Amino acid sequence: STIDTLYLDENIPTGNYTYGVLTVFDGGFESELTEVSIDHTDVENIIIPIVTALIGNYPNPFNPETTISFSVAQTSSFVNVEIFNIKGQKVKQLVNEVLPAGRHIAVWNGTDDNNKAVSSGIYFYQMKNGDYKNSRKMLLLK
């Protein structure tokens, strides 16, 4: 479950700050560390913005389903999350819509766009959001 998506440092001195942000999931899975640099000059508080990122999937390997986590920095951004097989062929469209800023999940149950079960093997999931594009690997074991 999400604990919080907004972080506030209060009454800190003027200066440049770099924050390391990651997500910790149940079971001990952690996302990659994302660095956010902020120049703090005129305000009393620093709010760390949410970044657009493809965080990861859990569990991996999986059977029968896996949860893909990602975050979106802007509410007006169009988000696309798709699954591809090892040959690069699209298997499933999971997300294809405008989502609000924040952390999101998409669950894949190992089926294609026709709701037919796919075979065991390596699959890739890809997220596109504006200029952002990233993909990762997962393993379906039956």
Side-chain angles (χ1 to χ4, degrees), residues 110-138:
T111 61
D112 63 16
D113 277 333
N114 296 316
N115 289 322
K116 290 186 176 186
V118 299
S119 61
S120 295
I122 296 172
Y123 291 87
F124 297 90
Y125 53 105
Q126 180 183 75
M127 175 187 169
K128 294 180 189 175
N129 178 243
D131 292 335
Y132 179 86
K133 180 179 176 182
N134 197 2
S135 60
R136 293 184 184 235
K137 178 172 57 171
M138 61 185 160

Side-chain angles (χ1 to χ4, degrees), residues 36-66:
V36 178
S37 297
I38 298 173
D39 181 19
H40 172 57
T41 54
D42 298 327
V43 295
E44 292 181 17
N45 303 320
I46 291 179
I47 297 176
I48 300 172
I50 297 170
V51 295
T52 297
L54 181 58
I55 298 167
N57 73 301
Y58 183 82
N60 190 17
F62 71 96
N63 180 16
E65 67 182 27
T66 189

Side-chain angles (χ1 to χ4, degrees), residues 2-21:
T2 301
I3 296 171
D4 204 345
T5 56
L6 180 68
Y7 303 90
L8 180 67
D9 276 351
E10 298 181 308
N11 303 318
I12 61 172
T14 298
N16 292 318
Y17 294 88
T18 300
Y19 292 84
V21 181

